[in-house]
Amino acid sequence: MWTRTMGVTLLSVLMAWPAAAQNAVNDWSLKAQNVITAGRSPASSEYLLALVHAAMYDAVVAIEGEYRPFGVRVEVDHPASPESAVAAAAYHILRQRVPASEPSLTAEYVGYASALPGGPPKEHGLEVGEKVAMQWLALRAN
């Protein structure tokens, strides 16, 4: 039930996100789906997809500040890129929860991050995404 409610809520909120962040969410959602669904039960896959999407959402909310986060709050005091935050949040969740995909996932992450516009906003976004992911992982550890 929690997964279904989370999915419906996330879908409705996607329409309010900036266009560039939506593209990052679409990109990393597809990557997550491909990584997670291989060899997993549907229930486990849905749970992990929800976790990835919740982390991506909270990373963007931390930067944009217009909505309430789902589960974790990270303070952002410098301009940060939502696109890099989305990528980092998804990557760190997937890397921890699906370790068998780590080598290829890391290559995809490095390639994706290197294609984003450089500068402090990108670096701050990567930090925000990682912090959000780590907090989500700690929250869902038990």
Side-chain angles (χ1 to χ4, degrees):
M1 183 67 169
W2 179 81
T3 303
R4 182 176 294 151
T5 303
M6 174 87 72
V8 170
T9 304
L10 285 170
L11 183 60
S12 66
V13 172
L14 278 176
M15 298 307 290
W17 283 4
Q22 283 185 25
N23 291 335
V25 169
N26 290 339
D27 292 344
W28 281 92
S29 180
L30 181 60
K31 290 176 193 317
Q33 185 176 359
N34 291 336
V35 165
I36 290 170
T37 57
R40 288 191 179 274
S41 70
S44 176
S45 296
E46 288 180 17
Y47 167 78
L48 285 176
L49 283 170
L51 185 59
V52 168
H53 283 91
M56 291 190 298
Y57 172 84
D58 281 353
V60 173
V61 167
I63 293 168
E64 299 293 328
E66 294 183 31
Y67 300 96
R68 275 184 25 206
F70 276 119
V72 301
R73 188 178 307 268
V74 172
E75 294 297 320
V76 178
D77 52 1
H78 300 292
S81 161
E83 299 86 356
S84 61
V86 163
Y91 166 72
H92 288 287
I93 294 286
L94 292 170
R95 185 175 62 86
Q96 291 292 321
R97 289 297 176 106
V98 190
S101 68
E102 201 276 323
S104 63
L105 185 64
T106 297
E108 285 189 61
Y109 175 66
V110 169
Y112 193 91
S114 67
L116 294 172
K122 173 183 169 179
E123 298 306 317
H124 295 303
L126 294 173
E127 291 170 12
V128 168
E130 182 176 2
K131 286 178 185 177
V132 167
M134 294 301 117
Q135 285 187 23
W136 264 108
L137 290 166
L139 184 68
R140 305 305 299 171
N142 296 324

